[in-house]
């Protein structure tokens, strides 16, 4: 496996994980933190902004996973690197969103 493909799969997992909270908040009509809020990452963005941001993240994940190399969830190396990206992003998101939603750090 080429290192740049593995890096692409890792970040594909991270972008896919980041797409989930933004897209869900957006389609449910809820305001949510985004990089486009004021202040960035702390203020609330509209549901439309979050839906769009979630879709952009989903598109980037698609490009990184499907258009780079030959990603296959059946290959342990590919799946492991992808899952590592998901896990790391999940904990980073949990840590960053917790203070705004009553969660403990």
């Amino acid at each position: 496996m080429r290192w740049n493909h593995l890096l692409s799969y890792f970040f594909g997992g991270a972008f896919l994980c980041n797409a989930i909270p933004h897209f869900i908040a957006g389609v449910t009509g809820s305001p949510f933190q985004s990089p486009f809020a004021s202040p960035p990452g702390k203020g609330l963005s509209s549901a439309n902004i979050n839906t769009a941001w979630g879709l952009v993240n989903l598109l980037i994940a698609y490009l990184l996973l499907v258009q780079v190399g030959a990603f296959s969830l059946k290959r342990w190396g590919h799946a492991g690197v992808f899952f590592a990206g998901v896990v790391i992003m999940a904990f980073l998101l949990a840590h960053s969103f917790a203070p705004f939603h009553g969660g403990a750090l």
Side-chain angles (χ1 to χ4, degrees), residues 7-17 57 60-62 64-65 82 86:
L7 191 62
S8 174
Y9 303 155
F10 176 85
F11 282 105
F15 276 97
L16 182 61
C17 185
N57 276 266
I60 293 169
Y62 166 78
L64 291 171
L65 293 170
F82 165 77
V86 170

Side-chain angles (χ1 to χ4, degrees), residues 1 5-14 65 71-89:
M1 285 184 282
H5 292 177
L6 295 177
L7 191 62
S8 174
Y9 303 155
F10 176 85
F11 282 105
L65 293 170
F71 179 75
S72 172
L73 280 175
K74 292 181 179 182
R75 296 187 64 189
W76 282 101
H78 294 185
V81 171
F82 165 77
F83 188 65
V86 170
V87 167
I88 290 171
M89 181 57 88

